[in-house]
Amino acid sequence: MKTVLITGTSSGYGRETALHFHDRGWNVIATMRTPRPDVLPESDRLRVIGLDVTEPDGIAAAFEAAGPVDALVNNAGIPSIGVFEGTPAARVREVFETNTFGVMETTRAVLPQFRERGSGVVVNVTSSVVLGHMPLTAVYKASKMAVEGFTASLALELAPFGVRAKTVEPGACLTTNFGVRATNGVSPDDMFPEPYAVWAKKAVDGFMGQDLFTRESDVAEAVWRAVHDTTGQLRFPAGPDAVRLAEAR
């Protein structure tokens, strides 16, 4: 029986992905910054472990507690919307610490066992913002583009050892708490300084008016496909809006 470790499983894509793998017979190590076992079913094939991907000691402890795994799904992330001029430097660093450096460090933690065993797969959840030109996402997109580049090069480094690396690119999902977390308690006036206000409102209205959106299940299914893919495909758009963006490139 195979085991997957998934980060950021308290809600949204991560929780749905944990359920998806569990329902299909895998052992699931569900990690989250603040452990909440109540958000997932009780099962002898599912364990909840605390993990803050920005804390190196915590990463080491989590992987030691998890034991051998066959797949790592880096799902934990911080959303961010707003114009760059209105985004404090501290917020930029916070986003990169989780979205980019956190992914790198959890990946670093799992690679020795994958390489020595000659098998394993790392799936990094990025975003459909990497597929098109989207306003108000400068910082968020930069953090996810960095992971795309990291994964593409990593896949080449790991191939000689029989280890794979993939990305999953979710579209916009209205049923997650992305919007609340993306603002991080920042007022609209700070996110969209007055010179940008009219233009930013049009951009947000355009986004909310799109006709295609992604469901959590679309992302879970794409992660499942990525974990099992042996064709060499690197990127997996998830959700109809992400697929449309990928096809338009």
Side-chain angles (χ1 to χ4, degrees):
M1 189 179 300
K2 293 190 174 184
T3 299
V4 59
L5 187 150
I6 308 168
T7 67
T9 59
S10 62
S11 63
Y13 302 149
R15 179 178 180 275
E16 188 69 23
T17 300
L19 294 172
H20 195 87
F21 275 75
H22 179 263
D23 290 347
R24 285 153 183 77
W26 280 54
N27 290 322
V28 175
I29 309 297
T31 77
M32 52 189 79
R33 182 177 295 180
T34 302
R36 293 180 54 204
D38 59 299
V39 302
L40 292 165
E42 289 189 17
S43 170
D44 58 2
R45 290 189 292 103
L46 195 155
R47 281 195 291 155
V48 174
I49 294 178
L51 172 60
D52 183 336
V53 300
T54 67
E55 296 180 358
D57 291 344
I59 293 172
F63 276 91
E64 183 176 355
V69 300
D70 299 282
L72 166 64
V73 178
N74 280 312
N75 167 76
I78 295 178
S80 182
I81 59 173
V83 299
F84 178 70
E85 186 179 341
T87 306
R91 177 61 172 173
V92 175
R93 293 188 180 93
E94 180 186 16
V95 170
F96 270 82
E97 284 291 342
T98 297
N99 292 4
T100 308
F101 303 138
V103 167
M104 291 179 175
E105 291 310 310
T106 54
T107 300
R108 189 195 306 278
V110 82
L111 290 186
Q113 63 168 289
F114 283 180
R115 174 176 45 75
E116 291 166 8
R117 192 169 63 231
S119 66
V121 57
V122 177
V123 176
N124 295 326
V125 179
T126 61
S127 169
S128 63
V129 298
V130 306
L131 298 172
H133 302 298
M134 299 184 186
L136 309 179
T137 62
V139 173
Y140 182 67
K141 181 171 181 174
S143 72
K144 294 297 189 177
M145 288 289 286
V147 174
E148 289 276 333
F150 166 69
T151 309
S153 184
L154 182 70
L156 300 176
E157 296 176 14
L158 300 181
F161 302 100
V163 181
R164 293 165 291 128
K166 315 280 186 180
T167 65
V168 167
E169 301 158 338
C173 185
L174 298 186
T175 53
T176 65
N177 60 353
F178 182 97
V180 174
R181 294 172 61 219
T183 61
N184 195 38
V186 178
S187 73
D189 289 344
D190 290 331
M191 288 192 304
F192 310 131
E194 194 277 330
Y196 296 92
V198 173
W199 171 85
K201 183 181 185 306
K202 290 180 180 178
V204 171
D205 290 347
F207 168 77
M208 295 304 296
Q210 69 183 52
D211 58 341
L212 295 176
F213 289 97
T214 294
R215 301 167 301 170
E216 287 98 331
S217 59
D218 295 326
V219 179
E221 290 163 6
V223 172
W224 177 263
R225 293 197 310 273
V227 164
H228 290 86
D229 179 75
T230 57
T231 68
Q233 181 176 340
L234 176 63
R235 299 179 176 89
F236 292 76
D241 50 332
V243 170
R244 182 165 66 181
L245 282 170
E247 291 174 345
R249 296 187 79 184

